[in-house]
Amino acid sequence: ELKVEQNPLFLSMQEGKNYTIYCNYSTTSDRLYWYRQDPGKSLESLFVLLSNGAVKQEGRLMASLDTKARLSTLHITAAVHDLSATYFCAASSGNTPLVFGKGTRLSVIA
Amino acid sequence: SAVISQKPSRDICQRGTSLTIQCQVDSQVTMMFWYRQQPGQSLTLIATANQGSEATYESGFVIDKFPISRPNLTFSTLTVSNMSPEDSSIYLCSVVGGEGQGLEQYFGPGTRLTVT
């Protein structure tokens, strides 16, 4: 059974600092997703990572995937207040539905 | 990307009643799912909505409580039956993008349900 663990679950960052959110999954997965959720809103797709060594960047966010370690990371560079949200990673294998981590609630403070 | 709409966007219902949530997609999709997100929690898969056949339910979810219809490749409904306050959640419809969309999985805006 595929399980997904994220850490940290809560993260308070100062503006301008860098930080990384970690996502571990328990069994072989061929797709790893990162989503953002603002309070009271639905999920916004950030990245889909499909292969070992995949790295994708959008603005201050960069995601990577290491399938051998069963680990994905979401790196935040020079955080700004607008990045405050909850970030979820999710994994799946084959045609199975996504399994979500518990989410990381990020708060960027001045 | 697939554009998904859900109705209603929110509702307040009394214990013991039922609510049907509609999900409409702007393109034909093979895979459609229903998720639940309880307050402050992550997403939990309720079921996979199969076109032309019965939905596939995850452990802990049953058809009598959450009947699902999927009459075609663009539409599905989820009914929350005999509601109790524990059913208060956001219910989200999700689809996997079609050809050329790189296996993206998209989510609808959600239906926020409060049961009193």
Side-chain angles (χ1 to χ4, degrees), chain A:
Chain A
E1 181 189 353
L2 177 60
K3 292 185 180 179
V4 178
E5 288 190 6
Q6 269 180 256
N7 69 84
L9 299 183
F10 297 93
L11 177 57
S12 183
M13 295 177 64
Q14 278 192 318
E15 280 189 330
K17 299 291 188 183
N18 305 333
Y19 211 86
T20 300
I21 300 171
Y22 298 89
C23 176
N24 290 92
Y25 52 96
S26 61
T27 64
T28 301
S29 168
D30 54 16
R31 299 195 292 283
L32 195 294
Y33 298 74
W34 285 96
Y35 290 92
R36 168 181 172 145
Q37 187 177 39
D38 291 294
K41 304 290 186 183
S42 187
L43 276 73
E44 173 192 354
S45 177
L46 295 174
F47 303 107
V48 182
L49 303 168
L50 301 176
S51 60
N52 187 43
V55 177
K56 290 192 175 180
Q57 183 163 4
E58 181 74 33
R60 300 174 188 274
L61 301 178
M62 183 173 72
S64 66
L65 178 63
D66 180 345
T67 58
K68 293 179 182 176
R70 295 179 185 163
L71 170 69
S72 180
T73 61
L74 180 67
H75 187 72
I76 303 157
T77 302
V80 294
H81 180 72
D82 286 351
L83 290 179
S84 297
T86 299
Y87 293 84
F88 290 97
C89 68
S92 72
S93 182
N95 286 325
T96 61
L98 292 183
V99 176
F100 280 80
K102 290 188 175 182
T104 297
R105 188 173 297 181
L106 172 65
S107 177
V108 180
I109 55 178

Side-chain angles (χ1 to χ4, degrees), chain A residues 33 35 37 40 42 45 95 101, chain B residues 31 37 42 103-105 108 112:
Chain A
Y33 298 74
Y35 290 92
Q37 187 177 39
S42 187
S45 177
N95 286 325
Chain B
M31 303 182 75
Q37 187 176 26
S42 184
L103 297 175
E104 287 272 8
Q105 185 159 338
R112 185 180 294 268

